[in-house]
Amino acid sequence: MRRTLAVALAALGALVLAPLAQAAPGGVPGRPGATRAAGDPPLTIDADAARAAVDCVDFADAPADADAVVLVHGTFTEGHEQYGWNHELRLTEERLPHCVLTYPDRGQGDMQVSAEYVVVAVQEAARISRTGSVDIVGHSQGALMPRWAVKHWPSVQAAVDDFVLLAGPNHGTWAADGFPASMPRPAVYWQFRTDSAFVAAVNAGDETPGEVDYTSVYAYTDELVQPSGPNGAPTAALQVDDPSRVVNVNVQDVCPGRLVDHLTLGTTDRFVLELTVDALRRPGPADASAVATAACSLPDQHLTPAQLGALAETGDGPGWDELGYGLDPDSYVTEEPPVREYATTAG
């Protein structure tokens, strides 16, 4: 129970405004370092540390047309801690190669830095992909922050085939707007604001660049990523210029009355899990109508025996006495980190 509570708090903490198990490092031994492709901004992170933050799983019997999937966690949690008892199990059932990323500081640092870990994770995933292409599945910050890598690293944009965004505060969130203006806090909470420079920069111009297929999933009943509509344009919804590449899916529009919150949307909701797999396996983004009939009837917040077993195996994790922001208060900042020069000069 102690671990269940901690994991629930961790996944909810994508935007939690109250005070705040290292994923097993892995990568794949013997692989060369992160490389810089023409046109990519230089990485400012340590390549060895970034590779160690990526844990990849391959399958000898993976489908011949399988992209490798990168799973990107939300704020306040870590890779296997969030996904080991849900999405990892589902991808294993499908025999889809995947890499689980854990970026630093439980996601409370500058998202521009965290996005560089996504760049390395995409490089690692491409090495085990049957097609050479990579798919990204991210929850909360893990949906918003990788958009920075896709937008500003041409090599990432070229490699990514599908991007499934679960409860992403793509245009910021009202929840982050409530901090007093001068209150010191972790960098990411400045960037979550609806008026942040990060949000403005990631949405400048084309919100869905490249030939990537985007599926953004959200819910009216998400208590943290707001507004979600109908009283305000949904922050998670992406601009749709090409419906063949970009779809926005509100869970309750497809499954009326379904109970889903920020935590379950990114972890255990069975409709969302099946919609994610649909996006990964079909050409183009997910087709909610193809999933709805069967998946809307699945229990919405029921943990299967396999999920319960995997959750029990994840370890004790932090308890109430260990929860806090997880950062030295001296690292809190009183203003948003400046937008990197490569983003301000991008065409």
Side-chain angles (χ1 to χ4, degrees):
M1 172 62 81
R2 182 172 181 259
R3 174 60 178 174
T4 303
L5 176 60
V7 170
L9 287 170
L12 276 170
L15 293 170
V16 86
L17 303 182
L20 310 154
Q22 177 71 24
V28 178
R31 287 185 175 163
T35 57
R36 180 184 177 191
D40 283 356
L43 294 176
T44 63
I45 59 175
D46 179 82
D48 289 336
R51 288 193 304 276
V54 184
D55 190 8
C56 295
V57 178
D58 199 358
F59 302 103
D61 57 346
D65 63 347
D67 300 340
V69 181
V70 175
L71 293 172
V72 188
H73 63 83
T75 319
F76 199 47
T77 183
E78 295 182 340
H80 292 296
E81 189 174 84
Q82 173 160 357
Y83 291 119
W85 47 289
N86 42 79
H87 285 266
E88 290 185 61
L89 298 180
R90 190 67 187 88
L91 295 178
T92 298
E93 289 175 4
E94 296 291 325
R95 313 308 286 172
L96 295 180
H98 55 274
C99 296
V100 183
L101 170 64
T102 295
Y103 51 99
D105 299 323
R106 291 189 173 268
Q108 296 171 92
D110 183 348
M111 282 194 276
Q112 296 170 105
V113 175
S114 299
E116 295 188 20
Y117 284 79
V118 174
V119 173
V120 174
V122 168
Q123 292 177 353
E124 291 294 292
R127 302 180 198 278
I128 61 171
S129 172
R130 297 303 186 270
T131 64
S133 295
V134 174
D135 299 333
I136 298 175
V137 176
H139 174 237
S140 197
Q141 182 186 161
L144 168 63
M145 175 268 290
R147 292 181 55 212
W148 192 266
V150 172
K151 186 179 185 74
H152 294 296
W153 270 261
S155 65
V156 172
Q157 189 178 123
V160 174
D161 180 25
D162 273 281
F163 188 177
V164 182
L165 304 89
L166 308 177
N170 288 313
H171 300 89
T173 175
W174 289 346
D177 291 346
F179 279 113
S182 60
M183 177 183 176
R185 50 194 182 271
V188 75
Y189 295 108
W190 289 97
Q191 294 170 320
F192 282 145
R193 291 177 58 91
T194 57
D195 61 354
S196 76
F198 180 91
V199 164
V202 80
N203 291 314
D206 188 354
E207 291 189 6
T208 55
E211 296 303 312
V212 181
D213 296 321
Y214 296 83
T215 301
S216 183
V217 187
Y218 62 100
Y220 291 128
T221 49
D222 186 328
E223 72 283 11
L224 293 176
V225 176
Q226 291 288 338
S228 63
N231 298 317
T235 184
L238 296 168
Q239 176 181 314
V240 180
D241 294 324
D242 181 357
S244 69
R245 285 198 311 107
V246 184
V247 296
N248 296 303
V249 180
N250 185 297
V251 172
Q252 283 98 13
D253 285 346
V254 182
C255 304
R258 191 169 186 83
L259 296 176
V260 59
D261 57 16
H262 192 69
L263 167 62
T264 54
L265 200 152
T267 53
T268 59
D269 185 84
R270 297 289 299 283
F271 167 75
V272 175
L273 283 167
E274 297 311 310
L275 188 70
T276 299
V277 170
D278 183 77
L280 301 179
R281 297 301 292 146
R282 74 165 56 245
D287 182 351
S289 64
V291 176
T293 300
C296 286
S297 64
L298 294 171
D300 47 8
Q301 298 184 28
H302 174 68
L303 288 177
T304 67
Q307 289 172 327
L308 285 169
L311 179 59
E313 291 174 3
T314 56
D316 280 342
W320 280 110
D321 57 336
E322 300 165 85
L323 292 175
Y325 277 126
L327 297 176
D328 185 334
D330 289 340
S331 71
Y332 295 179
V333 294
T334 56
E335 61 183 1
E336 181 182 354
V339 170
R340 299 286 175 88
E341 183 179 0
Y342 62 78
T344 61
T345 59

